[in-house]
Amino acid sequence: MCFFVLLPLSLPAQRVSDLGIRVGVLSSGKYNAITDVPGVKVGHKTLTEGDNVHTGVTAILPHPGNIFQEKVPAAVYIANGFGKLTGISQVQELGNLETPVILTNTLSVPVAADALIDYTLSQKGNEKVKSVNFVVGETNDGYLNDIAGRHVRKQDVLEALSAASDGPVQEGNVGAGNGTVCFGWKGGIGTASRVLPGKSGGYTVGVLVQSNYGGVLYVNGVPVGQELGKHFLHDQLNDPADGSCMIVVATDAPLTSRNLERLAKRAVLGLGKTGGIASNGSGDYVIAFSTATGLRVAHSSASPKYEVSELRNDEVSPLFLAVIEATEEALLNSLFMAETVKGASGTVEALPKQKVLEIYRRYRN
């Protein structure tokens, strides 16, 4: 007797873990999201108008308090610098972050920075602030979005900040990922997390990405882009690798800026595992911060010393593995959760998930 199982022609947006694809060896957190790191919140404002407007804003808050008054240790790593990340020099120089991180499109960086100034000055205790190091990252969504129209307004940024919450994080065509393209398919926002075993400290690493880059797609080691015949240099005119990727890494591990930069470097290994090549025209940046309360940097203090207790170098390798795995899965989630969009310059299809799963199972069985 023969049995035939009829598979649907297409699958709805689902996270890779829900489809039976297990990335790495470490366990994820409750939500498998950057918000598994205690205190971290994420908010989106998605702008869609007809075919021409597909853009938005994503806000990442390191903690729910006044970030300017209680700065967090932070670092930035540049894999390829074809981008417009603003606020980078002060983070690198002082090793801390004093505002939320905003992600948006390339030409909306100035308005987002202006909104972050308003947001910071409006908080109680910041009435006399005269300098704000706003941090805004971007990718270019100009294929699907009328980017020159600069449709993001200050109010949109403030609404994304106001909407920020812990718990599950929306992915795919939301916020700053609404108009992005990845490996020639619809990209977007993705997130994931990893929790270390108790013997390694039990710390959490969470990652959120804005995917808008190219190369040769691999799904957990399976050469999906090659199998589907859609990848960089397969047809150089139609499959460019240029674009960008913003990666935001959060951890509750007690790391100062030096080891946070080392952690950020390993996130790029996760990007590479998906097949990204950090092409000449790609702005690939990682912003990493620690939420450990003992490392908060007070804006003003009566003490001339900043005394901290941080992990030894020998203890950070488990965190390196965690960030590689979380970044890889977050990027895959950004693809698997995205949906087809008809935009300003054409239509970008969602990843053909049913075909991908068939290829994946063939390689894994």
Side-chain angles (χ1 to χ4, degrees), residues 170-175 177-178 180 186-190 333-334 337-339:
Q170 285 184 291
E171 297 171 287
N173 303 10
V174 295
N178 192 25
T180 62
K186 183 66 186 71
I189 296 295
N333 279 335
S334 75
M337 290 297 289
E339 298 177 346

Side-chain angles (χ1 to χ4, degrees), residues 112-172:
D114 198 16
L116 266 182
I117 295 173
D118 284 359
Y119 171 83
T120 302
L121 296 182
S122 70
Q123 292 188 298
K124 185 177 180 180
N126 295 349
E127 294 82 4
K128 297 182 179 181
V129 168
K130 300 185 186 306
S131 173
V132 179
N133 187 52
F134 36 80
V135 175
V136 182
E138 54 78 32
T139 72
N140 194 304
D141 57 16
Y143 183 79
L144 290 174
N145 176 50
D146 169 32
I147 192 169
R150 291 180 285 179
H151 301 281
V152 173
R153 301 289 182 257
K154 281 206 297 184
Q155 186 59 34
D156 298 318
V157 182
L158 295 173
E159 288 180 17
L161 287 161
S162 178
S165 64
D166 54 14
V169 176
Q170 285 184 291
E171 297 171 287

Side-chain angles (χ1 to χ4, degrees), residues 19 22 27 37 44 50 55 68 126 154 177 185 201 229 238 245 265 294 335 338:
L19 293 169
R22 178 175 171 78
S27 298
V37 178
H44 300 297
T55 193
F68 186 88
N126 295 349
K154 281 206 297 184
W185 288 287
N238 295 322
C245 186
K265 291 177 180 178
L335 279 160

Side-chain angles (χ1 to χ4, degrees), residues 309-332:
S309 177
E310 61 177 316
L311 280 182
R312 287 168 45 86
N313 292 338
D314 291 342
E315 303 300 318
V316 298
S317 290
L319 295 168
F320 293 164
L321 177 60
V323 76
I324 293 168
E325 290 187 6
T327 302
E328 180 182 9
E329 185 166 347
L331 289 166
L332 293 177

Side-chain angles (χ1 to χ4, degrees), residues 9-265:
L9 294 177
S10 62
L11 291 174
Q14 289 178 276
R15 309 186 83 193
V16 292
S17 60
D18 294 331
L19 293 169
I21 299 173
R22 178 175 171 78
V23 177
V25 298
L26 296 173
S27 298
S28 61
K30 179 179 179 180
Y31 303 109
N32 197 11
I34 193 171
T35 50
D36 286 320
V37 178
V40 176
K41 295 185 177 184
V42 175
H44 300 297
K45 180 60 183 291
T46 305
L47 302 177
T48 302
E49 297 177 19
D51 293 341
N52 286 335
V53 179
H54 298 278
T55 193
V57 179
T58 295
I60 302 97
L61 281 63
H63 65 75
N66 187 328
I67 301 167
F68 186 88
Q69 296 295 331
E70 289 186 281
K71 309 175 201 300
V72 296
V76 174
Y77 179 69
I78 305 172
N80 195 70
F82 198 110
K84 287 77 187 170
L85 173 61
T86 186
I88 182 173
S89 62
Q90 185 168 313
V91 174
Q92 290 177 321
E93 185 74 15
L94 302 184
N96 56 55
L97 187 66
E98 64 184 24
T99 70
V101 175
I102 297 295
L103 304 179
T104 187
N105 72 63
T106 306
L107 297 186
S108 295
V109 170
V111 71
D114 198 16
L116 266 182
I117 295 173
D118 284 359
Y119 171 83
T120 302
L121 296 182
S122 70
Q123 292 188 298
K124 185 177 180 180
N126 295 349
E127 294 82 4
K128 297 182 179 181
V129 168
K130 300 185 186 306
S131 173
V132 179
N133 187 52
F134 36 80
V135 175
V136 182
E138 54 78 32
T139 72
N140 194 304
D141 57 16
Y143 183 79
L144 290 174
N145 176 50
D146 169 32
I147 192 169
R150 291 180 285 179
H151 301 281
V152 173
R153 301 289 182 257
K154 281 206 297 184
Q155 186 59 34
D156 298 318
V157 182
L158 295 173
E159 288 180 17
L161 287 161
S162 178
S165 64
D166 54 14
V169 176
Q170 285 184 291
E171 297 171 287
N173 303 10
V174 295
N178 192 25
T180 62
V181 182
C182 192
F183 294 110
W185 288 287
K186 183 66 186 71
I189 296 295
T191 189
S193 70
R194 291 294 184 270
V195 180
L196 298 187
K199 290 183 178 180
S200 296
Y203 302 113
T204 300
V205 175
V207 174
L208 182 141
V209 300
Q210 177 191 21
S211 66
N212 193 50
Y213 63 98
V216 184
L217 174 62
Y218 282 79
V219 174
N220 203 21
V222 174
V224 167
Q226 184 177 353
E227 287 283 346
L228 293 176
K230 186 170 183 176
H231 57 83
F232 183 48
L233 297 184
H234 174 262
D235 181 344
Q236 191 168 359
L237 294 177
N238 295 322
D239 294 296
D242 287 345
S244 295
C245 186
M246 288 298 309
I247 303 173
V248 180
V249 177
T251 184
D252 57 355
L255 304 180
T256 58
S257 59
R258 180 180 56 80
N259 267 327
L260 284 168
E261 182 178 1
R262 298 178 72 207
L263 190 68
K265 291 177 180 178

